[in-house]
Amino acid sequence: MLSHAPGDTLGHRLDPRTKLAFQAAFATVALAHPTPRWLLALTAVCLLALRYCELAVRTVLAEYRGVLPFLLVAPFVGALRLDPPWIDPTGARDPLFAVYRTLLLLSLAAAYVKTTPPRESRAAITRLVPGRAGRFLGLGVALVFRFLPLLQADLRRLREGAWVRLGDERRVDRRVKHLAVSALARAFRRADALTLALRARCLSWNPTPPALAFGKGDYAVLGVAGALVIVAIAS
């Protein structure tokens, strides 16, 4: 399960605003130039980012294994035709590039989640988006980063418990119903506990944020992001 893990990698030392800016530049280039040459260059950049965050590719793929089947359906659907020839491989080209581009963006998102504490993410968003909107958005992001891993862990335990009780021998619809109902019930219990915890801790809309400062590594990464955008515009 992917969540924040303390460490001393380059990704951990970067300011969260730098990482958000880098992801924005990466996504802009990926959307503007969905060509094989640019996707290959972005793949190299993504692999370097994962390396400096000490995040393995297989870990990222394992984290998104539930999303991969839905993404891989897109090229197949794009190749289908309603008349002969029923399958046209050229129609799968653009959806395949879109799927690959999405995987690159998800990989960077995974690196961000691993290297950025929810508190720093909240502080970065609050500074980037002024006013109540920024405080509300920052609080929402922080709660999602803390709450989603708990829901994933609950779902994993439910699946393991079902397997121990030979749940895999049930019909598919009954298995899905059991997991969905149980997961929803646990989500509501988690939400109630979260509400009580926030009240007990006197939730503040404007807490004292952690100190954020740019370092040498931040300026280097921002320079790479800027150069990437400039080259993409000039191409």
Side-chain angles (χ1 to χ4, degrees):
M1 181 178 57
L2 189 62
S3 59
H4 170 64
D8 193 35
T9 66
L10 175 61
H12 287 85
R13 294 193 298 269
L14 291 176
D15 189 283
R17 293 169 293 179
T18 300
K19 289 179 276 191
L20 290 174
F22 181 81
Q23 289 188 81
F26 189 95
T28 300
V29 175
L31 294 173
H33 294 281
T35 61
R37 183 182 66 176
W38 273 101
L39 289 178
L40 183 61
L42 292 176
T43 300
V45 174
C46 184
L47 290 177
L48 285 175
L50 293 179
R51 179 181 178 183
Y52 284 120
C53 294
E54 294 185 357
L55 184 61
V57 176
R58 62 177 178 273
T59 303
V60 176
L61 294 178
E63 179 64 22
Y64 294 120
R65 61 184 179 274
V67 181
L68 290 177
F70 297 97
L71 293 177
L72 296 177
V73 168
F76 177 74
V77 173
L80 293 178
R81 294 293 179 268
L82 298 178
D83 51 5
W86 303 107
I87 297 179
D88 182 11
T90 59
R93 181 178 181 274
D94 291 340
L96 185 61
F97 287 165
V99 168
Y100 189 75
R101 182 175 56 201
T102 302
L103 289 176
L104 294 178
L105 297 177
L106 289 176
S107 299
L108 284 185
Y112 178 87
V113 171
K114 180 187 176 184
T115 59
T116 311
R119 190 164 176 258
E120 291 188 4
S121 296
R122 179 180 181 180
I125 294 175
T126 302
R127 293 189 181 187
L128 292 174
V129 182
R132 291 187 176 181
R135 294 197 296 270
F136 182 78
L137 184 60
L139 176 62
V141 170
L143 290 179
V144 168
F145 282 168
R146 287 187 171 96
F147 199 56
L148 188 57
L150 296 177
L151 297 181
Q152 290 178 324
D154 287 341
L155 183 59
R156 186 180 67 252
R157 284 193 289 268
L158 287 172
R159 293 178 60 185
E160 292 173 352
W163 291 338
V164 170
R165 296 176 178 86
L166 302 180
D168 56 337
E169 296 183 0
R170 296 180 180 179
R171 288 179 359 199
V172 176
D173 58 335
R174 292 185 178 180
R175 279 184 281 170
V176 172
K177 179 180 178 181
H178 170 73
L179 287 177
V181 172
S182 301
L184 191 60
R186 290 204 178 191
F188 280 123
R189 288 198 295 269
R190 288 283 189 186
D192 291 339
L194 177 63
T195 302
L196 181 61
L198 292 178
R199 290 178 179 176
R201 290 171 175 83
C202 300
L203 173 66
S204 173
W205 283 94
N206 192 21
T208 302
L212 299 180
F214 291 107
K216 295 181 179 179
D218 293 285
Y219 292 119
V221 173
L222 289 174
V224 172
L228 193 63
V229 173
I230 291 173
V231 173
I233 294 175
S235 300

